[in-house]
Amino acid sequence: MMMTSAENLAVFQSLSDLTGEMREAAQGSEWDRLAGLERRCAALVAQLESAEAVRLPQDMQRQKVELIHKILADDAAIREYTEPWIRQVQALLGTASRSRCVRQAYESGAWNF
């Protein structure tokens, strides 16, 4: 797929806007909204990956770099909000898994002497 310089920069602007929204969603613990925004972001990344490389004029290249820095800063902030929640979910799943193993052991009669 061929993309003009303006289209390429517009996709990076959209990515930057989306990561900003994702940052707000993560900050507000809006996990469903975050997942939806992440899917939209992935679609834009796929669009960039399928496009041929575009050589941007210097001023547009500078704008693209600024957008990438903002996207990376948003990504770091999103991780700060999501990683504690992910650890909590993993702990809950681990507890549920151990409980299921104990219940299965008792139900199987393994503990009947």
Side-chain angles (χ1 to χ4, degrees):
M1 176 171 85
M2 187 69 175
M3 199 181 269
T4 66
S5 300
E7 290 169 335
N8 183 275
L9 194 59
V11 172
F12 275 94
Q13 181 64 56
S14 295
L15 277 172
S16 175
D17 294 344
L18 278 174
T19 59
E21 289 182 50
M22 289 171 66
R23 181 183 194 151
E24 291 173 8
Q27 187 175 9
S29 301
E30 300 174 54
W31 309 124
D32 291 337
R33 179 176 171 225
L34 179 63
L37 291 166
E38 187 176 10
R39 283 190 291 275
R40 291 173 52 197
C41 209
L44 289 175
V45 169
Q47 185 179 350
L48 284 173
E49 289 175 342
S50 68
E52 293 178 28
V54 176
R55 186 166 185 88
L56 299 175
Q58 193 170 8
D59 61 323
M60 293 177 87
Q61 183 66 29
R62 193 174 18 261
Q63 289 176 335
K64 181 178 170 181
V65 169
E66 290 172 7
L67 290 169
I68 290 171
H69 283 289
K70 193 253 183 199
I71 290 166
L72 292 174
D74 285 340
D75 182 60
I78 291 165
R79 289 179 193 277
E80 285 181 30
Y81 294 119
T82 57
E83 286 179 359
W85 177 74
I86 289 171
R87 282 193 293 275
Q88 286 178 335
V89 170
Q90 287 173 334
L92 287 171
L93 291 174
T95 300
S97 176
R98 282 190 295 277
S99 295
R100 187 175 45 251
C101 288
V102 169
R103 188 176 52 248
Q104 287 173 346
Y106 276 107
E107 289 174 357
S108 70
W111 298 97
N112 294 335
F113 296 104

